Amino acid sequence: MTKNTLQLAWSTPAAHWEEAVPLGDGRLGAMVFGGAAGRYQVNDATIWSGTPETAAEELRRVLAGGAGPDRLREVRAALAAGDLDDAERLLLTFEGRYSQEFLPLADLFVELPGAVQAPGEPARVLDLDDAYLEELLEVGGIAVRRVSRVAGHALVIRIETDEPLPELRIRMTTPLRELARRGGGGELALDLAVPVDGAPLHESSVVPALRYAEPGDGTYDGFATTALAVRSDGTAESDDSGLTIRHARRLSIALSSSSRAESWWAGVDDEWRSVSHETIRNRARERVLVALGENASPTAQGAARRQAARFAIGGRRAGRWDVQNDVLDGTDDGLRATIAAEYGRYLLESCSRSGGPAANLQGIWNGELRPAWSSNYTININTEMNYWAAGPLGLTDAAEPLISLVERIAETGRDVARELYGARGWVAHHNSDLWGWSLPVGMGHGAPSWAIWMMGGVWLCHSLWDNYEFTADVALLRERIWPLLRGATEFCLDWLQVDGDGVAYLAPSTSPENQYRDADGRPRALGLTATMDLELIRALFARAIAAIDTIGVGGADADTDADLRREIVAALRTIPEPRVGSDGRLLEWSAEVAEHEPAHRHLSALVGVYPLDLITPESAPALAAGARRFLDARGPGAMGWSWAWKIALRARLGDGETAHELLREALAPYRGDARRHGPVDGSEWGGLLPNLFSTHPPFQLDGNLGFPAAIAELLLQSHGGRVHLLPALPEAWPTGSVDGLHARGGVVVDLSWSEGVLREAVLHNPGTAEIRVPVRYGASDFVVLVPAEGTAVVAVPEPVS
């Protein structure tokens, strides 16, 4: 029977990873294949190659090679002289090796010999609201119900039948180095070694690509373990290959894991150095017993799933929707948008939870030992986009791991800023990993267009500021976010250069992954100041001032913060506004130059439009018009994250119709080879895989996580101190509703509309004081008073055309 929840149904079991269905709780992830083989490909968010010392070791090696403040001065001299080749040669010496890889943990097989799909039922049904997957099967005429979920850092599988099953087989394998295998008493366990180094696919010269520590070599002990237990009303037998359960009608299976890296991430003194293998084993086994209900625990089911925003674009939401017919090949435009938003919400809740690592390029799901781009943290757009929806959808718990990640990056980034650049604060570049990597990557041959970019930490700080603005949590700002913003601000104050006319510029500066053509037609990344860099710094400085004013100058840091505020104010006056070129487009660099890739996938020059709010049609109409022309020139397509950014940008500019067309493109099924790596120049478009993951290819989760943020932006905007209702509603969505969208300042909004007209808006105030909310609908502006811990129904004015 279909519940009053949103469910997705697949007609067949998965034959390939791209067809498997994701489950997760922020620490443990599982891709469920279903069917008789019952495969679960399992990930643990702490299973990364590398060690806690990798970043520091690489910094020492780079410094020993001559990089540092003196060489930076040489770089700047070469740039000032127009010798871009020499500047590039010198900058390559600043590159470390690479960030580390997120790796798969294990494969679990819960085999039901002879099982077939139950007649008239889908093969797999995923409930996006209650976060479980259900299968209805038959084994020799016996009805079988198998339900899988991940909670409390454990994969839990419950099987119920109407008659005893003749046999069920459970086995577990791993792609990692297996150290030991244990079994008996209805339990299985694998002890594993995790590589201490893992090279990305593009660094083919590194051999071996995955390097393990050898016993007695004194290096980091990357120990990890899995634990599995079965409880049933049948009989259990075990051997070296697994467990066999016979004559059972009720079975519960739980699998969990633990690792030394988990201890490191938890940050409890130096426990990670001394924690024993037995302690790590016991952690995993304890989670299994809790999941099976044998050991009491106040967190037995992990972090509760919060009541996030709920979409019903077109009016339909609850129900069981066939993925192929209703989504990939569906014609109900509103339903497809609803599912895109809800699936993105489900994925973020499933791959990012308080206390665990942040969502990486593939969230928490990776089946490859050599994943694309190491499945790392790419912080020139992708990691930030992973969290764009957290604020608008009210996913506060999901947002916490990003703060934790930035804290770890800042820890290594302070040494990099000081030793490599002679600057205060902290810095990060293009990539990071579990261990907080902050150096440039590239091994001395990485192109400056992607390797030499010093604004990664700055952009991450803007995501943290969004967390504060949507929650209005001043304690969070004071205790965790402001220290990070302050360090990034100090770095930028030292990084800015000022010319003889008192105008700020940056040297070196690049626009992420893009290049222009010089006078000789050669592609160049260096030599000019990128618009994005200055916009990120301008917004950071403004937010730093706001943070100081909000927190108040006082206590031990009173003089420091007051002095810093004065320094920021002075620096802000030197930063020039973005420029519009002769063709009306916003310029990507400080000079009007020919573009190397006119349809480039990155939209870096428009960061001031979205996710920042420096450029709006009201505050800067000429720049907003330049942004529209920039987008027009870049064109449609071509991959999930780029689509999501384009949709959000169009929404900010009030262009709901183009945003809608871009969303339709992004939600089209991808019919090519999902296993190959497509070109990144936009010549081939991506789309949705059979499991609705967004791919280029290869698969990256940022597109899926960006879609709900972009869709929310079409329905509600709250930048600039005002809540804007239905600011860019596409004509194709004349009817719909959304409950629980969050606006900056902590207010929560429910909306419903029909015939393209707002019918009702309800504002909720979870705070303890009455708030005044400036509201706009159409061309009407008004103020709504919302009582403390209360609601206010907006008297909706007739729209003014």
Side-chain angles (χ1 to χ4, degrees):
M1 182 177 69
T2 302
K3 295 171 56 180
N4 190 34
T5 55
L6 197 164
Q7 299 181 335
L8 300 179
W10 286 264
S11 60
T12 61
H16 306 286
W17 193 91
E18 294 79 12
E19 300 169 355
V21 175
L23 297 172
D25 74 341
R27 261 295 312 280
L28 201 76
M31 296 293 286
V32 186
F33 287 67
R39 181 187 174 196
Y40 298 80
Q41 187 269 309
V42 182
N43 287 98
D44 177 322
T46 68
I47 303 300
W48 288 69
S49 63
T51 81
E53 290 94 358
T54 300
E57 291 169 355
E58 273 300 289
L59 175 59
R60 287 193 291 270
R61 189 190 64 79
V62 168
L63 293 171
D70 289 340
R71 186 158 293 173
L72 176 61
R73 283 187 280 273
E74 293 179 45
V75 170
R76 286 174 169 162
L79 291 170
D83 192 344
L84 304 188
D85 291 331
D86 193 45
E88 179 171 332
R89 177 186 63 80
L90 292 167
L91 278 169
L92 293 182
T93 67
F94 285 70
E95 294 181 352
R97 299 180 75 215
Y98 38 75
S99 59
Q100 294 295 316
E101 299 200 303
F102 175 58
L103 299 171
L105 174 72
D107 283 278
L108 172 67
F109 297 87
V110 180
E111 298 168 342
L112 291 166
V116 296
Q117 201 169 317
E121 297 288 345
R124 297 167 293 158
V125 177
L126 175 64
D127 193 305
L128 296 184
D129 294 338
D130 292 338
Y132 69 87
L133 185 130
E134 180 184 58
E135 301 171 79
L136 299 179
L137 306 163
E138 284 191 359
V139 179
I142 301 172
V144 180
R145 179 175 184 256
R146 181 165 60 193
V147 176
S148 308
R149 70 169 72 238
V150 175
H153 305 340
L155 168 63
V156 182
I157 305 159
R158 303 198 186 275
I159 297 175
E160 300 175 350
T161 71
D162 56 4
E163 295 180 37
L165 281 170
E167 182 176 290
L168 178 144
R169 183 74 177 162
I170 301 170
R171 58 190 180 91
M172 187 163 42
T173 63
T174 179
L176 301 175
R177 178 180 287 181
E178 185 176 319
L179 301 176
R181 179 180 291 260
R182 303 181 308 281
E187 298 190 14
L188 288 174
L190 297 180
D191 288 348
L192 312 170
V194 181
V196 294
D197 189 60
L201 280 170
H202 61 266
E203 297 293 2
S204 57
S205 65
V206 179
V207 179
L210 290 172
R211 179 173 59 84
Y212 289 87
E214 298 302 330
D217 67 4
T219 58
Y220 172 76
D221 174 21
F223 180 80
T225 190
T226 66
L228 178 144
V230 183
R231 301 295 182 261
S232 79
D233 57 1
T235 62
E237 299 176 5
S238 63
D239 56 32
D240 289 343
S241 62
L243 299 171
T244 301
I245 312 296
R246 293 188 174 91
H247 311 301
R249 297 178 60 177
R250 301 288 184 272
L251 296 93
S252 294
I253 305 164
L255 179 150
S256 190
S257 61
S258 187
S259 68
R260 187 173 306 280
E262 175 189 341
S263 297
W264 178 84
W265 182 266
V268 181
D269 299 323
D270 281 339
E271 176 193 351
W272 64 270
R273 296 181 185 275
S274 58
V275 63
S276 68
H277 289 191
E278 193 61 28
T279 298
I280 295 171
R281 293 187 191 106
N282 289 339
R283 276 199 306 236
R285 187 172 186 273
E286 178 69 16
R287 287 169 182 151
V288 164
L289 297 179
V290 169
L292 293 174
E294 296 184 14
N295 285 16
S297 169
T299 58
Q301 295 304 312
R305 300 181 76 86
R306 294 177 178 269
Q307 185 61 37
R310 293 292 186 264
F311 296 81
I313 300 168
R316 297 203 291 171
R317 182 187 186 278
R320 179 175 293 176
W321 309 108
D322 183 87
V323 167
Q324 189 64 51
N325 296 325
D326 294 323
V327 186
L328 294 173
D329 296 329
T331 58
D332 186 333
D333 196 73
L335 178 63
R336 296 176 77 230
T338 294
I339 290 173
E342 293 284 357
Y343 194 49
R345 181 268 308 166
Y346 165 82
L347 291 171
L348 183 54
E349 286 188 298
S350 298
C351 71
S352 184
R353 297 280 187 91
S354 180
N360 60 59
L361 273 177
Q362 296 183 194
I364 197 177
W365 302 282
N366 167 42
E368 302 292 332
L369 280 175
R370 305 294 307 288
W373 299 291
S374 299
S375 191
N376 67 6
Y377 299 114
T378 303
I379 59 176
N380 66 10
I381 173 60
N382 312 90
T383 303
E384 290 86 355
M385 182 178 288
N386 281 356
Y387 287 92
W388 283 353
L393 271 59
L395 302 177
T396 306
D397 187 72
E400 189 280 336
L402 185 64
I403 305 176
S404 294
L405 174 65
V406 179
E407 288 170 338
R408 285 155 178 80
I409 295 172
E411 185 174 346
T412 70
R414 279 189 288 272
D415 292 335
V416 174
R418 182 181 63 255
E419 302 295 332
L420 204 59
Y421 301 127
R424 294 171 292 171
W426 65 277
V427 65
H429 297 80
H430 172 230
N431 290 137
S432 192
D433 55 25
L434 180 80
W435 316 108
W437 176 278
S438 55
L439 274 167
V441 297
M443 295 185 67
H445 54 246
S449 61
W450 53 266
I452 305 299
W453 187 65
M454 290 74 177
M455 294 293 111
V458 178
W459 199 352
L460 287 170
C461 281
H462 288 301
S463 294
L464 306 190
W465 181 261
D466 286 342
N467 188 333
Y468 159 67
E469 282 206 318
F470 278 99
T471 62
D473 187 339
V474 176
L476 179 68
L477 175 65
R478 177 186 300 109
E479 294 162 14
R480 298 189 68 185
I481 295 176
W482 168 237
L484 297 167
L485 262 66
R486 179 169 54 198
T489 298
E490 289 171 337
F491 174 79
C492 289
L493 286 167
D494 290 350
W495 191 248
L496 274 180
Q497 307 289 294
V498 179
D499 66 18
D501 296 323
V503 178
Y505 68 98
L506 298 171
S509 176
T510 59
S511 191
E513 303 185 36
N514 203 0
Q515 298 178 91
Y516 64 93
R517 290 192 176 274
D518 66 14
D520 297 323
R522 298 172 60 190
R524 295 289 192 181
L526 301 168
L528 299 172
T529 297
T531 297
M532 180 189 208
D533 289 1
L534 287 180
E535 291 294 87
L536 287 171
I537 293 172
R538 182 200 313 278
L540 179 70
F541 286 175
R543 289 170 170 180
I545 291 171
I548 292 171
D549 293 346
T550 299
I551 295 169
V553 175
D557 294 326
D559 292 340
T560 301
D561 283 352
D563 290 343
L564 182 64
R565 192 186 191 284
R566 285 189 286 271
E567 190 177 358
I568 295 167
V569 169
L572 263 174
R573 297 192 186 104
T574 70
I575 299 178
E577 291 284 338
R579 294 175 54 203
V580 174
S582 59
D583 60 359
R585 284 187 292 167
L586 197 72
L587 295 183
E588 186 156 359
W589 290 276
S590 52
E592 190 163 0
V593 289
E595 295 174 297
H596 179 54
E597 291 183 49
H600 197 268
R601 61 199 176 277
H602 281 257
L603 308 159
S604 303
L606 304 191
V607 69
V609 178
Y610 184 96
L612 306 179
D613 58 0
L614 300 175
I615 299 172
T616 71
E618 294 81 14
S619 66
L623 294 177
R628 289 191 193 94
R629 293 200 176 185
F630 184 102
L631 282 171
D632 291 344
R634 286 290 162 97
M639 55 199 70
W641 64 263
S642 187
W643 267 309
W645 199 359
K646 289 176 180 178
I647 296 163
L649 285 163
R650 291 290 185 177
R652 276 285 173 93
L653 295 170
D655 186 359
E657 299 314 307
T658 304
H660 172 255
E661 287 305 312
L662 290 164
L663 182 63
R664 285 174 58 88
E665 293 172 5
L667 301 186
Y670 180 74
R671 305 193 188 278
D673 180 1
R675 309 295 290 180
R676 65 184 284 266
H677 288 201
V680 297
D681 61 4
S683 58
E684 295 182 20
W685 285 15
L688 298 184
L689 294 169
N691 62 5
L692 300 185
F693 279 171
S694 180
T695 191
H696 176 231
F699 149 66
Q700 291 178 198
L701 198 68
D702 39 33
N704 289 102
L705 301 184
F707 294 150
I711 291 168
E713 203 70 18
L714 291 164
L715 305 177
L716 182 79
Q717 296 177 17
S718 60
H719 55 283
R722 178 181 63 201
V723 174
H724 195 169
L725 309 176
L726 302 182
L729 184 69
E731 291 182 2
W733 301 347
T735 301
S737 64
V738 59
D739 293 335
L741 278 181
H742 285 232
R744 290 169 177 82
V747 68
V748 182
V749 183
D750 302 336
L751 298 172
S752 62
W753 66 94
S754 63
E755 299 179 332
V757 176
L758 182 66
R759 299 304 179 188
E760 184 177 69
V762 180
L763 307 187
H764 305 268
N765 175 13
T768 57
E770 181 183 70
I771 55 175
R772 299 176 74 257
V773 183
V775 176
R776 168 171 286 188
Y777 173 59
S780 299
D781 290 287
F782 47 97
V783 174
V784 178
L785 297 179
V786 190
E789 299 178 346
T791 63
V793 179
V794 176
V796 180
E798 289 296 320
V800 179
S801 58

